[in-house]
Amino acid sequence: MILETKARTILIADDEPDILEIISFNLQSQGYHSICANNGIEAIELAKIHKPDLIILDVMMPGKSGFEVCKFLRALPEFENTIIIFLTALNDDSTQIKGLETGGDDYITKPISPKVLISRVNALFRRITKETGSILQIGDLAIDREKYVVTLNNEEIILARKEFELLALLASKPAKVFLRNEILNKVWGSDVIVGDRTIDVHIRKIRQKLGDDCITTVKGVGYKFQM
């Protein structure tokens, strides 16, 4: 079944022609419009021209690495919310953390079957947050950041202030893994000293109120919201 994805453009950057051809073919078979880049510099040029909805970056590329491309694009306002996926053979924890710290939304290790990759891409698009003014809408969950009100299936859920701010941060980019240090800085601030278990306690309370599946723990890295 082909998804209604004709308006969505995906940029793929990899220095291996075979990988570009396979990924591009499979994306197009699902109705996506794909654009291919052979190196980091070309990826930046094509991204500026086409403004893709999602970017798949290899890490080890000539010209500029995937990390350098991501960092460059994230500094531009038009790419602040663009979905960026790293697809690489490097699977160690430190490289994955660096990718997420650079601004990646997901990190996928090679080899991966085209069907699984397409499934991950589709899932990321499904989880895009609908934002209207101060309200984040994800499925049946609504988060009003101005009024500090959360509703699930039209029923109000009472959250403490820090629980609300933590939920609003994670839900602002569904499926993105937020690092623990990033969460501490954005929710509690760099001037406040809190214990290592502070985030865990607040996550547990949010799960009790919204369901265990709303927030996923990425062991050794951080947390991501999914609904």
Side-chain angles (χ1 to χ4, degrees):
M1 178 179 178
I2 296 178
L3 302 177
E4 294 297 328
T5 53
K6 291 183 179 179
R8 289 173 173 166
T9 298
I10 297 178
L11 170 63
I12 315 149
D14 200 301
D15 61 345
E16 297 185 48
D18 290 346
I19 290 179
L20 284 177
E21 183 178 353
I22 292 171
I23 294 177
S24 179
F25 173 81
N26 281 273
L27 288 172
Q28 290 179 23
S29 72
Q30 291 297 307
Y32 292 108
H33 174 55
S34 64
I35 302 167
C36 296
N38 296 295
N39 57 67
I41 294 175
E42 186 179 7
I44 291 175
E45 293 174 349
L46 290 176
K48 288 180 177 179
I49 294 170
H50 297 281
K51 304 293 189 301
D53 302 287
L54 185 147
I55 301 172
I56 300 174
L57 295 174
D58 184 24
V59 171
M60 304 296 290
M61 291 189 294
K64 285 185 180 294
S65 71
F67 293 153
E68 291 173 320
V69 173
C70 182
K71 186 176 182 180
F72 181 91
L73 293 177
R74 284 294 190 226
L76 302 177
E78 60 265 39
F79 295 103
E80 183 178 355
N81 296 312
T82 302
I83 301 172
I84 297 179
I85 300 175
F86 288 109
L87 179 62
T88 174
L90 302 174
N91 60 3
D92 57 286
D93 290 344
S94 60
T95 305
Q96 181 175 356
I97 291 172
K98 182 177 179 181
L100 297 171
E101 287 180 333
T102 304
D105 295 293
D106 202 353
Y107 190 100
I108 302 172
T109 55
K110 300 175 183 177
I112 185 172
S113 75
K115 289 184 178 180
V116 174
L117 178 60
I118 296 297
S119 177
R120 295 282 284 270
V121 168
N122 290 341
L124 285 166
F125 276 128
R126 284 197 301 269
R127 293 170 185 169
I128 292 176
T129 304
K130 294 180 181 178
E131 186 170 348
T132 305
S134 64
I135 298 177
L136 294 175
Q137 183 78 43
I138 313 99
D140 296 323
L141 180 71
I143 303 171
D144 191 325
R145 294 171 294 183
E146 187 174 293
K147 297 180 179 179
Y148 276 72
V149 173
V150 175
T151 58
L152 180 61
N153 294 318
N154 295 320
E155 293 186 9
E156 185 173 346
I157 307 296
I158 305 301
L159 297 179
R161 185 180 183 89
K162 289 303 179 185
E163 293 170 15
F164 178 92
E165 292 176 356
L166 175 53
L167 174 64
L169 173 65
L170 297 178
S172 67
K173 289 190 174 183
K176 170 183 168 57
V177 180
F178 285 85
L179 305 178
R180 293 179 66 88
N181 286 341
E182 183 180 5
I183 293 171
L184 286 172
N185 288 335
K186 290 186 176 180
V187 176
W188 281 271
S190 57
D191 297 330
V192 178
I193 300 176
V194 296
D196 291 338
R197 302 292 296 172
T198 299
I199 297 177
D200 301 331
V201 171
H202 284 73
I203 292 290
R204 185 175 70 248
K205 291 180 178 178
I206 294 172
R207 285 171 172 161
Q208 289 172 350
K209 298 173 182 179
L210 296 180
D212 291 337
D213 296 332
C214 67
I215 297 175
T216 300
T217 302
V218 181
K219 190 175 180 180
V221 182
Y223 298 93
K224 65 179 179 179
F225 178 89
Q226 57 185 30
M227 202 78 182

